[in-house]
Amino acid sequence: MIGQSYTNTFSVSGGIFGDGYGGEVTFNSNLSEDTFTQLALNVSIANYELGIKSIPYSSFTASYSYFVTVYSRNRKMQALSLGGGALAGYEMVNNGELEVSNIVSVNGKSKIIYGAVLTGDLDIIVSEHISLVIRTSEFYHVNSDFGKFTNYTGLGFRYYFNK
């Protein structure tokens, strides 16, 4: 046996991101039958409540993670993988404006953010090239003004190349 080729995947999901909503696009590069790396792009859109004012903020991050499949059944027709990695991105507060009104200003500011992410990924195969993905991730933004810990839970589809 010369070598084994493992399938790469692409996925898109959407769901609840902190106090708002968001989405994620991922590319997985499978290293072995039970391990893979993942490049993920995330976007979140939410509102921060400041008294009677609602301040919009959003984040755009990229992460790189390593995953291990911890449970699978029916010849990997369902698989649960856990992973973790590093992230970096940009947090935009109030669309870049420092003042919400003439009497309220924003304490936080738009800036580059960084941190870590832990993810649980449940993959349920539905056809030769498509699977249903249920994900939950906990993001830790070290220097965020609007949420050091933010959860993302979403539902999406994954496409398998060369299967």
Side-chain angles (χ1 to χ4, degrees), residues 115-129:
V117 60
L118 295 174
T119 302
D121 182 297
L122 179 61
D123 195 35
I124 303 167
I125 304 291
V126 294
S127 76
E128 184 178 353
H129 290 283

Side-chain angles (χ1 to χ4, degrees), residues 4 36 44 62 67-68 82-83 87 91 122 126 133:
Q4 185 167 359
F36 60 93
S44 71
F67 282 79
V68 174
L82 300 177
L87 69 86
E91 181 175 73
L122 179 61
V126 294
V133 178

Side-chain angles (χ1 to χ4, degrees), residues 33 71-80 123-126 163:
E33 196 169 313
Y71 177 76
S72 66
R73 54 177 268 182
N74 294 338
R75 297 184 192 192
K76 294 198 79 157
M77 294 299 284
Q78 297 94 29
L80 174 64
D123 195 35
I124 303 167
I125 304 291
V126 294
K163 189 165 185 181

Side-chain angles (χ1 to χ4, degrees), residues 77-139:
M77 294 299 284
Q78 297 94 29
L80 174 64
S81 300
L82 300 177
L87 69 86
Y90 190 75
E91 181 175 73
M92 186 166 48
V93 180
N94 197 34
N95 301 319
E97 300 293 324
L98 291 178
E99 291 188 11
V100 177
S101 69
N102 58 358
I103 54 172
V104 178
S105 63
V106 179
N107 287 336
K109 61 180 181 175
S110 299
K111 63 182 164 187
I112 292 174
I113 57 174
Y114 59 93
V117 60
L118 295 174
T119 302
D121 182 297
L122 179 61
D123 195 35
I124 303 167
I125 304 291
V126 294
S127 76
E128 184 178 353
H129 290 283
I130 303 291
S131 69
L132 177 67
V133 178
I134 303 168
R135 300 177 58 81
T136 187
S137 298
E138 188 67 32
F139 293 86

